[in-house]
Amino acid sequence: MTINDKCFFLGGQPRSGTTLLTSLLNSSIDLFQAYELHIRKPSFILGNNKNYTKNIFKYLGLSETKYLEIIDNHKKNFENMNLGNWSGPKEYSSAELLTGKETVNFSSELLFRGQLVSELMNELKYIHKKKYWGFKILNDMIHIDEYFKIWPNSFFIILIRDPRDHAISVLKLNEQRIKRNQQLFFKDYEDVANHWKKDYQTTFEKIDKYKINSYVLKYEDLVQNPYEIKKKLEEKLNINKINIDTFNTNEKIKLHTQRFKHHKNLLNKINCNSVNQWKKIMTDEENKEFLKISGNLMSKFNYE
C-alpha cells in the first residue's frame, strides 16, 4: 500500500538552512511547504495533552474543527500507528526519549501516520490554493528509503552545509537545551563531524540504491547565488515564482520567529553572513580534526 500524492520532503541536519529553504519554497505560488511535523515522534498527535500536532497545524492555517474531523477519520488506525512511541529508530538529536513500547513495525506505522498527514496536508493545500504540499523531515533523511516507499511520487531536497559552520551553529543551541534540561544535539566538534559524515553518506547511498528522485543543494550556493538557485528549484520541482525578494515579510514568517527565537534571521533578506564563520572561530587543530574525520565527503562538495 502506498500514498500517491506528489509531495516534497526537505532533509538536512539541524541548522543546515532547512528553515530558510522551507520559507522560500512556501513563497512559491504552487507549493505549500511546511516546517517539521515530527511524524515519527512519540509526541505526534498525543503530545502536550493532544495539542502538540494540533498546534502545529493551527499555525499552518488549519482550523481546530477541521483538524479534529480529520483526526476522527483516522482513529480506527491509531493502534496501527503505535502513537505515543517512536515509529522506527529514535532520532539521536531529539529531546524525546524512547518509551520502551516501540515496535519493529517501522514501515507500517509510518504508512498509517503518513495517511493521516497526507489528508491534513491536502486540506492545507486546498486552503492555501496550492498544487502540491511538502514538509521538513530534517535528519529523517537517513530513512529516505522508508519515506520513498510510502510516497513513491515524492521528491526529496537534501540540503548540505559545511560541517564546520554547521557545528558552530548547532552547538550554540545546546545552551538553550541545557536550560530546558533536554538532551544535547551533539557533545563536541568531533561528535558533529562523525554524524555529519555518517548521516549524509547514508542518505546518498540510499538515494543511489533506490533511485530516489532528489536534488542535493549546498547551503552556501543557496545564500550566495539565490536567484540562480531559485531557477534551479523551480525547474527541478516544476513549481513557479519562488519569491526571493519579499518572502521574509510574510506574516506567517513573523509568527514563526516569535515562537522560535533562534530562527529570527528569517526576518532578514538572504545573506552570506553565516558562511565560513568557522574560519574566525575554529583553531587549526579543530579544523584538521574535521578534515580527518569527514574530509573525503567534504572534498566532494568543495569544503576544503
Side-chain angles (χ1 to χ4, degrees):
M1 188 182 301
T2 60
I3 302 170
N4 293 324
D5 292 7
K6 181 178 179 181
C7 50
F8 298 90
F9 296 116
L10 173 54
Q13 288 194 320
R15 308 303 290 172
S16 61
T18 55
T19 301
L20 170 61
L21 184 53
T22 294
S23 303
L24 286 171
L25 292 173
N26 196 42
S27 74
S28 78
I29 63 173
D30 291 326
L31 175 58
F32 182 79
Q33 188 75 17
Y35 300 105
E36 49 266 60
L37 303 183
H38 304 301
I39 72 171
R40 293 201 309 110
K41 291 188 175 185
S43 54
F44 179 66
I45 303 301
L46 301 183
N48 189 25
N49 294 319
K50 300 183 180 180
N51 290 316
Y52 182 79
T53 303
K54 182 173 70 176
N55 285 339
I56 289 175
F57 280 91
K58 171 187 173 183
Y59 280 100
L60 292 175
L62 190 63
S63 70
E64 180 176 339
T65 300
K66 192 62 182 179
Y67 172 83
L68 293 175
E69 177 187 320
I70 292 173
I71 292 295
D72 195 56
N73 290 340
H74 290 262
K75 278 188 175 178
K76 61 183 181 297
N77 286 323
F78 274 12
E79 185 175 345
N80 294 323
M81 296 180 200
N82 193 28
L83 292 178
N85 309 289
W86 279 91
S87 172
K90 178 186 177 299
E91 178 198 330
Y92 59 82
S93 62
S94 174
E96 296 188 43
L97 302 175
L98 289 168
T99 66
K101 298 180 181 179
E102 284 75 17
T103 73
V104 296
N105 304 320
F106 186 7
S107 296
S108 61
E109 290 170 11
L110 188 60
L111 171 64
F112 285 109
R113 294 186 189 202
Q115 289 173 338
L116 170 54
V117 164
S118 282
E119 186 168 348
L120 290 167
M121 293 304 294
N122 275 312
E123 183 65 26
L124 283 168
K125 181 185 74 173
Y126 172 77
I127 290 171
H128 294 282
K129 299 178 181 179
K130 303 288 184 94
K131 293 181 180 178
Y132 314 113
W133 61 261
F135 61 88
K136 285 170 59 174
I137 61 172
L138 284 174
N139 217 55
D140 265 9
M141 64 180 180
I142 64 174
H143 304 302
I144 193 170
D145 53 327
E146 293 288 348
Y147 279 83
F148 191 58
K149 186 189 306 180
I150 291 167
W151 285 281
N153 296 322
S154 59
F155 189 94
F156 293 81
I157 308 105
I158 305 299
L159 194 60
I160 188 169
R161 184 183 184 186
D162 187 316
R164 295 161 295 192
D165 281 332
H166 159 62
I168 290 168
S169 183
V170 78
L171 288 176
K172 283 182 181 178
L173 293 184
N174 280 347
E175 298 172 9
Q176 298 176 23
R177 291 194 157 215
I178 289 171
K179 290 179 181 178
R180 295 195 293 258
N181 199 29
Q182 292 179 328
Q183 178 179 328
L184 302 184
F185 275 116
F186 303 98
K187 294 180 295 185
D188 48 34
Y189 285 155
E190 182 180 354
D191 197 23
V192 176
N194 279 309
H195 276 103
W196 184 90
K197 175 184 176 182
K198 178 183 176 183
D199 294 348
Y200 282 107
Q201 277 188 338
T202 297
T203 302
F204 297 148
E205 286 169 3
K206 288 184 175 182
I207 286 173
D208 290 340
K209 180 177 180 180
Y210 297 102
K211 296 179 172 55
I212 295 173
N213 299 322
S214 61
Y215 172 46
V216 179
L217 172 61
K218 288 174 60 176
Y219 168 79
E220 294 77 14
D221 290 340
L222 174 62
V223 297
Q224 292 174 327
N225 304 295
Y227 294 98
E228 179 182 330
I229 295 302
K230 158 189 156 70
K231 291 179 181 178
K232 285 186 179 179
L233 286 167
E234 289 174 343
E235 178 183 333
K236 290 184 177 294
L237 278 59
N238 192 26
I239 59 176
N240 294 296
K241 296 184 179 178
I242 294 174
N243 196 331
I244 290 286
D245 296 314
T246 60
F247 81 95
N248 57 313
T249 63
N250 186 290
E251 196 61 35
K252 285 189 170 20
I253 296 291
K254 294 178 182 178
L255 288 173
H256 179 82
T257 54
Q258 287 171 8
R259 294 179 66 211
F260 302 99
K261 306 298 183 186
H262 59 286
H263 289 162
K264 62 182 180 181
N265 285 337
L266 286 179
L267 296 173
N268 302 322
K269 288 186 176 293
I270 296 178
N271 61 73
C272 311
N273 296 343
S274 297
V275 175
N276 288 331
Q277 284 291 305
W278 66 270
K279 292 183 178 180
K280 304 174 185 177
I281 296 172
M282 284 189 179
T283 65
D284 287 342
E285 288 303 314
E286 288 168 337
N287 180 41
K288 287 177 182 176
E289 187 67 19
F290 266 92
L291 294 173
K292 178 182 175 182
I293 294 171
S294 49
N296 288 341
L297 184 56
M298 289 171 67
S299 64
K300 290 182 179 178
F301 289 92
N302 296 318
Y303 293 137
E304 303 295 348

